């Protein structure tokens, strides 16, 4: 008969074990050497899903996605993952989290075919990225911001401050019109006019 062996290992959570068997002869007979090696098991990255058909009260899984990118970022930041966003229209006013990437352009099967846009619309800024130090990517989005407020307000698609870790890739960013400027002040009063010319002397008339 063939070689039979029972192997029992006490394994620890989060550890991957490799078992190597060497030294078999022809037909599976002969001596063998059993050795093991172990190392840290790299966990699969967490992905939070956001869809126009989602609900922010759900868990953000592929089967039950969230509705807004803001909610997706919040959950991904807590779990240590990234956000995948389906095509469609999503509200802006999004604040990025350090180390949480956002990828758009996914179809209904959660394949990133790039055929249907993921649009993030207004207000201004539509997306904020403040104090981003870890590698964080913003990819595959069309970002539009609302017009600036009157009084000289600016329209900003993406506001990035102290964001050395941020990479923006394959995004279309279109800001709205700037706000109307403030009205100018009234002009100064004009100069006083010159005195009028004196009238001619009266003349006697003859009857």
């Amino acid at each position: 008969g063939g070689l039979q062996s029972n192997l029992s290992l006490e394994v620890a959570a989060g550890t991957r074990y490799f078992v190597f068997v060497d030294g078999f002869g022809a037909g599976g007979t002969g001596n063998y050497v059993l050795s093991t090696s172990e190392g840290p098991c790299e966990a699969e990255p967490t992905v939070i899903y956001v869809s126009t058909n989602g609900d922010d009260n759900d868990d953000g899984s592929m089967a039950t996605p969230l509705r807004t990118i803001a909610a997706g970022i919040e959950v991904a930041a807590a779990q240590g993952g990234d956000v995948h966003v389906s095509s469609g229209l999503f509200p802006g006013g999004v604040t990025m989290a350090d180390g949480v990437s956002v990828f758009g352009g996914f179809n209904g099967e959660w394949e990133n075919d790039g055929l249907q846009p993921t649009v993030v619309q207004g207000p201004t800024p539509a997306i904020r990225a403040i104090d981003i130090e870890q590698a964080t990517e913003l990819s595959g989005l069309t970002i539009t911001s609302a017009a600036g407020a009157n009084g000289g307000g600016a329209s900003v698609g993406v506001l990035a401050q102290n964001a050395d870790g941020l990479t923006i890739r394959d995004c279309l960013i279109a800001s709205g019109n700037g706000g109307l400027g403030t009205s100018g002040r009234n002009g100064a009063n004009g100069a006083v006019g010159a005195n009028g010319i004196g009238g001619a002397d009266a003349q006697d008339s003859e009857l």
Side-chain angles (χ1 to χ4, degrees):
L3 175 68
Q4 296 182 355
S5 177
N6 295 323
L7 177 65
S8 297
L9 290 175
E10 292 185 5
V11 298
T15 301
R16 178 178 296 165
Y17 293 84
F18 301 90
V19 178
F20 302 92
V21 179
D22 191 15
F24 284 97
T29 62
N31 297 325
Y32 65 91
V33 177
L34 177 62
S35 62
T36 65
S37 65
E38 62 180 79
C41 180
E42 295 183 2
E44 291 294 327
T46 300
V47 175
I48 302 301
Y49 296 89
V50 175
S51 169
T52 54
N53 297 321
D55 187 326
D56 282 350
N57 293 317
D58 284 333
D59 61 4
S61 66
M62 184 180 292
T64 54
L66 303 174
R67 175 61 183 88
T68 63
I69 298 173
I73 291 174
E74 182 179 357
V75 174
Q79 298 185 10
D82 296 324
V83 180
H84 288 188
V85 189
S86 74
S87 59
L89 180 63
F90 295 87
V94 172
T95 298
M96 300 290 291
D98 194 16
V100 177
S101 295
V102 177
F103 301 94
F106 289 87
N107 61 23
E109 303 298 324
W110 293 109
E111 299 170 341
N112 198 331
D113 56 16
L115 298 179
Q116 300 294 327
T118 298
V119 180
V120 180
Q121 191 173 67
T124 179
I127 295 180
R128 296 175 182 268
I130 312 297
D131 296 330
I132 303 297
E133 298 179 356
Q134 303 178 61
T136 304
E137 187 167 339
L138 192 61
S139 176
L141 304 176
T142 297
I143 302 166
T144 63
S145 59
N150 288 339
S155 176
V156 179
V158 177
L159 175 64
Q161 294 178 339
N162 191 28
D164 291 342
L166 179 67
T167 298
I168 300 176
R169 191 189 317 274
D170 299 328
C171 289
L172 174 62
I173 303 173
S175 58
N177 295 326
L180 298 175
T182 56
S183 300
R185 294 179 297 177
N186 293 331
N189 294 329
V192 177
N195 293 329
I197 299 173
D201 294 336
Q203 296 179 356
D204 294 333
S205 59
E206 294 180 0
L207 297 177

